[in-house]
Amino acid sequence: MSLFRGGIPAILLGVSLVLAAPLAALAAPAGPAAATVRAEKPRKAPTTDELTKDQDSYLALVSRDHPLDPANYKPKDLRTISGTGLELRQDAATALESLLKAARKDSQSLNVLSAYRSYDRQLALFNGYKARYGTDYATRISAPAGTSEHQIGLAADIGMSSGRCDLKACFGDTSGGKWLAANAADFGFIIRYPADGEKVTGYKYEPWHLRFIGVDQAKAMEKSKSVTFEQFHAALLKASKVKTPTAAEIKKQREALLILRFLPPYRDWSIGYDFAR
Ligand SMILES: [Zn+2]
């Protein structure tokens, strides 16, 4: 009898589980998806001005096609990167210090070869390359003054402490280069001139050149299909031009939807009324 008494509830439990399962499955698609949307904090989308006019923006696109204006622009919040004689803008310097510390923890000894460069310094550098290699090659490896990311204080060239492959494509194959490619985005940096990006960026592969764009955007770019910052920037610009509805417009849309939802019952009620008469 004890088997009987124990058996019935077990069977009932089994049946109720079988019945409950399809119900849970029906409810499932709306549940977790809706919860995810609510839980995710929306990333503040950059405005069109931030992307095109604001040269202080971390998302400013600076290149030969997008020169600085004025050409001798200088950021206001430069500071020395600790342990170096080089400067970056405040947030970029802090981010780079964290990156170097994290690299050391992973047994990668990296150092900063170059960071902020003034207009005059860039002019001297570019003219030097021009004299050495000729204009054509100089423009593939260096930016004319007023078009360099180093001038906005958001770019840094990184090397191994051993000096192996410094400022050479083979840096990408070193342990330090691989570490950078894998971890830079966690600190808000991107590898600005990727191996397959020369047609878009106008620059040869520079696995050592980091550009700070902020952690959220660097991670978003990593997740996106954009290979180059130019492509990512274009996508952000396109999105910034899509008009986001105001709170009043959203309320109006919701009200319109509510009216639609109530239409069929009204019709049913009138049929019911006729029938009763
Ligand atoms: Zn560089």
Side-chain angles (χ1 to χ4, degrees), residues 2-19:
S2 64
L3 179 74
F4 184 68
R5 261 187 280 140
I8 291 297
I11 287 166
L12 283 175
L13 182 68
V15 169
S16 63
L17 278 179
V18 167
L19 284 172

Side-chain angles (χ1 to χ4, degrees), residues 48-263:
T48 309
D49 276 4
E50 221 175 305
L51 291 161
T52 56
K53 290 182 186 154
D54 182 5
Q55 296 182 119
D56 294 330
S57 164
Y58 295 155
L59 294 169
L61 178 59
V62 177
S63 66
R64 273 194 292 269
D65 295 336
H66 300 86
L68 288 161
D69 181 23
N72 64 351
Y73 163 91
K74 183 183 180 181
K76 290 165 205 78
D77 59 345
L78 289 170
R79 77 155 170 88
T80 305
I81 308 156
S82 80
T84 76
L86 302 164
E87 293 176 305
L88 276 184
R89 286 183 61 190
Q90 175 69 37
D91 287 351
T94 305
L96 191 60
E97 285 160 359
S98 304
L99 176 146
L100 294 172
K101 205 171 150 193
R104 268 198 302 277
K105 243 186 189 171
D106 287 346
S107 309
Q108 295 301 326
S109 183
L110 301 175
N111 61 356
V112 189
L113 302 173
S114 181
Y116 165 70
R117 293 200 290 259
S118 69
Y119 176 88
D120 289 343
R121 173 88 189 89
Q122 189 67 31
L123 189 69
L125 197 71
F126 186 74
N127 286 340
Y129 282 129
K130 221 160 74 172
R132 211 157 127 195
Y133 302 116
T135 309
D136 281 359
Y137 192 71
T139 47
R140 283 179 75 195
I141 60 166
S142 180
T147 72
S148 171
E149 287 194 329
H150 285 282
Q151 199 182 320
I152 59 172
L154 296 175
D157 296 333
I158 307 296
M160 304 256 282
S161 294
S162 64
R164 206 178 133 218
C165 289
D166 268 2
L167 306 179
K168 290 195 186 112
C170 61
F171 175 71
D173 297 322
T174 64
S175 61
K178 284 178 185 164
W179 188 94
L180 266 192
N183 297 285
D186 289 347
F187 302 89
F189 291 94
I190 56 167
I191 305 291
R192 178 67 176 87
Y193 306 114
D196 40 4
E198 188 174 350
K199 274 197 184 126
V200 180
T201 65
Y203 286 100
K204 280 167 72 87
Y205 177 41
E206 292 196 0
W208 62 85
H209 177 109
L210 294 183
R211 158 71 194 266
F212 182 76
I213 61 171
V215 174
D216 282 357
Q217 298 297 352
K219 284 189 173 175
M221 183 173 153
E222 202 172 50
K223 271 190 213 157
S224 77
K225 289 193 180 80
S226 303
V227 175
T228 63
F229 181 59
E230 275 81 357
Q231 290 159 337
F232 183 61
H233 189 273
L236 288 178
L237 191 59
K238 202 173 158 195
S240 77
K241 285 176 180 161
V242 175
K243 202 176 150 280
T244 34
T246 62
E249 282 166 342
I250 292 171
K251 196 172 163 238
K252 219 169 152 186
Q253 279 171 4
R254 285 215 182 113
E255 281 165 2
L257 278 173
L258 271 178
I259 291 167
L260 280 176
R261 274 177 61 186
F262 278 111
L263 279 177

